[in-house]
Amino acid sequence: QVQLVESGGGLAQAGGSLRLSCAASGPMSIGYAMGWFRQAPGKEREFVSGVTWGAGNTHYADSVKGRFIISRDTVKNTVYLQMNSLKPEDTAVYYCALDSGAYRTAVRTTATEYKYWGQGAQVTVSS
């Protein structure tokens, strides 16, 4: 059983920055992948970014490419999402998730591929 604990987020003005962290308890396999998803009110949960645990391969949604940066610390078992140039449309609850399926060399973008989820962190961007 893996638990994911998120921290960070909060309120920012448009153009500002915020950072999210997600710490995983328990051992992490190099075959895993970690992802960030978000869900705005009245909308479906959508993929934001992800990283494979072993090789560190990353993938971003087009809506955040060039603005968000995902990284991982394999010693601390923590994944980060640095969010820059924030826009009001980035406002959502952000969730980290763990894909513990077969050995991953690429990030999956479908939420059903992820077995474990964090509690969610609110990010609000004002205009």
Side-chain angles (χ1 to χ4, degrees):
Q1 187 78 9
V2 175
Q3 288 188 325
L4 304 177
V5 179
E6 300 180 36
S7 59
L11 178 65
Q13 290 187 332
S17 298
L18 288 171
R19 190 175 84 154
L20 297 172
S21 301
C22 176
S25 66
M28 292 287 287
S29 165
I30 60 172
Y32 290 174
M34 293 284 285
W36 287 98
F37 289 77
R38 66 187 181 186
Q39 188 165 18
K43 295 188 177 181
E44 293 187 353
R45 190 169 298 190
E46 64 175 359
F47 173 81
V48 175
S49 182
V51 60
T52 60
W53 205 250
N57 297 325
T58 60
H59 185 64
Y60 297 90
D62 288 343
S63 59
V64 306
K65 198 172 295 182
R67 301 188 297 122
F68 290 11
I69 302 171
I70 191 170
S71 62
R72 83 219 190 283
D73 185 327
T74 58
V75 174
K76 295 182 178 179
N77 279 358
T78 299
V79 63
Y80 305 95
L81 186 67
Q82 178 66 41
M83 303 181 290
N84 302 319
S85 301
L86 284 163
K87 303 175 181 180
E89 50 263 44
D90 294 319
T91 296
V93 177
Y94 283 70
Y95 299 90
C96 67
L98 173 64
D99 175 4
S100 58
Y103 192 95
R104 299 300 189 208
T105 58
V107 173
R108 303 296 178 101
T109 62
T110 305
T112 54
E113 299 278 2
Y114 293 77
K115 182 176 181 180
Y116 300 99
W117 291 80
Q119 80 278 12
Q122 178 69 47
V123 170
T124 303
V125 184
S126 61
S127 57

